[in-house]
Amino acid sequence: MKIEGNQHGHDDTSLNAILLRCMGFDNHYGGTIESGEGSYGDWIGWTDCEKFGVHKNQTYLTSFSLQVEGDQGGGDDTAANYIKFKCRDFDDDRDESELAHPPGHGLFGGYGGWSESCPTHSAICGIQTRIEGPQGGGIHGDDTSLNNVKFFCCDK
């Protein structure tokens, strides 16, 4: 995630981008995907789905929950602040684990419900984001950056 930290009374944007690192079924790196990037903040590092189970199978992203701050009226809006995911084995939907980069939450707003999970034998493989560009100064200068995200599931 690319996140702008607290601006202490100035214009906050919080979550500015999400980058996914792809892994193949043979555990080889498959590149990264990102649909857009806001102008503010810093990348905060990687967080990967864990391997679990008797055979230590790799797990994959299958659903998400977005932390969002609602409209602040005349105040400083941030929109999306953080995201967390659920991971599970590609072929077995019985066990899921929650994945959130520490500290697990942003500064403003609350988490919504979980998205619909990818069906068995599929995982998140694509991303689409809605990003507001810089608003400039003046009366209309309240930046929010990342406003919404949609993920897509793929099978083998």
Side-chain angles (χ1 to χ4, degrees), residues 28-69:
H28 283 93
Y29 174 66
T32 60
I33 57 173
E34 172 190 25
S35 73
E37 184 176 332
S39 302
Y40 312 100
D42 299 301
W43 292 100
I44 63 170
W46 296 107
T47 303
D48 295 316
C49 289
E50 298 293 323
K51 294 181 180 185
F52 68 85
V54 175
H55 302 292
K56 296 290 184 193
N57 292 335
Q58 177 64 48
T59 61
Y60 299 91
L61 301 176
T62 56
S63 64
F64 74 97
S65 178
L66 190 63
Q67 181 182 346
V68 177
E69 178 188 48

Side-chain angles (χ1 to χ4, degrees), residues 16-20 32-38 43 126-131 146 148-152:
N16 275 250
I18 301 166
L19 181 74
L20 300 179
T32 60
I33 57 173
E34 172 190 25
S35 73
E37 184 176 332
W43 292 100
I127 182 173
Q128 180 179 29
T129 51
R130 180 181 303 142
I131 296 177
L146 197 145
N148 204 355
V149 62
K150 181 178 183 180
F151 291 98
F152 301 92

Side-chain angles (χ1 to χ4, degrees), residues 5 12 25-26 36 44 48 64 72 82 106 111 122 134 140 143-144:
D12 293 299
F25 293 107
D26 56 2
I44 63 170
D48 295 316
F64 74 97
Q72 299 300 295
Y82 225 79
Y111 276 105
S122 68
H140 300 291
D143 296 307
T144 59

Side-chain angles (χ1 to χ4, degrees), residues 2-16 38-41 69-70 72 74-81 106-109 132-136 140-147:
K2 182 180 179 186
I3 296 178
E4 179 186 54
N6 192 337
Q7 298 301 294
H8 305 288
H10 298 284
D11 188 17
D12 293 299
T13 61
S14 275
L15 186 57
N16 275 250
S39 302
Y40 312 100
E69 178 188 48
Q72 299 300 295
D76 182 16
D77 296 312
T78 60
N81 272 243
L107 297 173
F108 310 104
E132 177 188 69
Q135 299 299 294
H140 300 291
D142 184 14
D143 296 307
T144 59
S145 202
L146 197 145
N147 282 252

Side-chain angles (χ1 to χ4, degrees), residues 52-53 59 87-89 92-97:
F52 68 85
T59 61
C87 302
R88 70 154 198 263
D89 185 291
D92 185 354
D93 62 3
R94 291 176 291 177
D95 292 317
E96 290 183 313
S97 62

